[in-house]
Amino acid sequence: MLTITQALHDALVAHARADHPDEACGVIAGPAGSDRPERHIPMLNAARSPTFYEFDSTDLLKLYRELDDRDEEPVVIYHSHTATEAYPSRTDISYANEPGAHYVLVSTADTDGAGPFQFRSFRIVDGEVTEEEVSVV
Amino acid sequence: MAIEVRIPTILRTYTDGQKAVDGSGATLDELFTDLDTRHPGIRERIVKDGELRRFVNVYLNDEDVRFLDGIATKLADGDSVTILPAVAGGAGAQPRPAGVVAGRRAGGTR
């Protein structure tokens, strides 16, 4: 289960909405081993694409150095889908390299008729996707 | 010639969980071959058909080696090499289907 504060939840949705129709991406860092997402770090989508995202490689190095220095880890790795549902695509699965992270997908496409945004969380380990409950506190 | 290599979480299965290992080589190519002698299989996760894999970033000190000489980048004693898989993905698929009403996204009423 992913437990996330309302403020962080809203910050991710706001980022996804702001970058629409391009995909937005970023992480929420937390103390290593805590599984608590605490610090929102929006990242630049170097691909600037409606169907693809990639952290800029220089920013990526800076991010991981910073996390290391602060004894943090990427608790949440998120991105948006802007025309499809908030479910990991084949691309998402093949590039998922953090088995300990919660992969959050935010959809800015109203594909389910259930409301303006989907906010869903997954584990992606060895190519296997498992959806998990999201608890907003 | 000792070069420190920082290993990402996903590849630590090859290094008994170590975050950094030492290696040697005059180029990145040689370094990854050297690492593979002690950590079998690691090279293949980084290199494909003699080139760095597209979605694996390798840095020499602070520089992405794609802006240097890629896998042929020369190394010197005391250099630090960092390996980081790209954080990437995306829908990558079909454009938005026709008939989805975009205007509903902003509204709260249904």
Side-chain angles (χ1 to χ4, degrees):
Chain A
M1 182 172 76
L2 170 66
T3 303
I4 186 171
T5 64
Q6 185 73 54
L8 284 168
H9 170 280
D10 294 351
L12 265 49
V13 171
H15 183 201
R17 175 182 259 161
D19 283 12
H20 186 91
D22 285 347
E23 293 194 3
C25 56
V27 306
I28 309 177
S34 72
D35 203 33
R36 280 201 316 272
E38 291 184 350
R39 195 164 65 91
H40 179 205
I41 310 166
M43 300 293 289
L44 186 75
N45 178 2
R48 292 176 196 281
S49 158
T51 54
F52 194 74
Y53 80 94
E54 182 174 4
F55 290 8
D56 173 79
S57 76
T58 305
D59 293 350
L60 180 74
L61 178 65
K62 193 168 152 264
L63 171 71
Y64 273 80
R65 287 253 170 94
E66 188 183 289
L67 296 180
D68 218 33
D69 289 347
R70 298 171 61 119
D71 203 21
E72 290 177 330
E73 57 191 13
V75 178
V76 167
I77 298 175
Y78 73 90
H79 73 284
S80 62
H81 283 177
T82 60
T84 54
E85 68 170 335
Y87 191 87
S89 67
R90 286 177 62 179
T91 316
D92 293 333
I93 297 164
S94 60
Y95 302 136
N97 276 310
E98 290 287 358
H102 303 269
Y103 281 88
V104 165
L105 278 97
V106 177
S107 174
T108 54
D110 182 9
T111 53
D112 65 350
F117 287 93
Q118 291 180 345
F119 185 106
R120 296 167 71 179
S121 183
F122 306 86
R123 296 286 189 171
I124 308 176
V125 181
D126 291 334
E128 198 138 325
V129 176
T130 311
E131 183 157 15
E132 60 183 2
E133 196 185 323
V134 177
S135 169
V136 180
V137 294
Chain B
M1 183 155 91
I3 290 149
E4 182 202 46
V5 186
R6 300 189 66 85
I7 307 292
T9 312
I10 194 85
L11 296 183
R12 288 180 199 156
T13 49
Y14 296 96
T15 61
D16 294 322
Q18 293 178 88
K19 290 171 83 166
V21 297
D22 281 339
S24 64
T27 64
L28 275 179
D29 199 10
E30 289 181 23
L31 174 69
F32 294 142
T33 300
D34 173 62
L35 287 186
D36 206 69
T37 61
R38 289 181 305 285
H39 312 288
I42 199 168
R43 180 184 161 89
E44 206 206 311
R45 297 292 298 271
I46 306 165
V47 179
K48 190 185 180 191
D49 301 331
E51 295 294 334
L52 294 173
R53 287 181 179 269
R54 162 69 180 87
F55 288 102
V56 177
N57 295 316
V58 178
Y59 306 87
L60 171 59
N61 303 318
D62 285 333
E63 186 102 39
D64 185 335
V65 302
R66 287 197 179 83
F67 302 123
L68 302 171
D69 285 321
I71 197 163
T73 299
K74 288 187 171 48
L75 304 176
D77 198 17
D79 275 343
S80 172
V81 168
T82 303
I83 302 165
L84 281 179
V87 179
Q94 304 305 311
R96 188 188 191 91
V100 175
V101 183
R104 284 189 26 207
R105 196 179 316 126
T109 50
R110 279 181 286 137

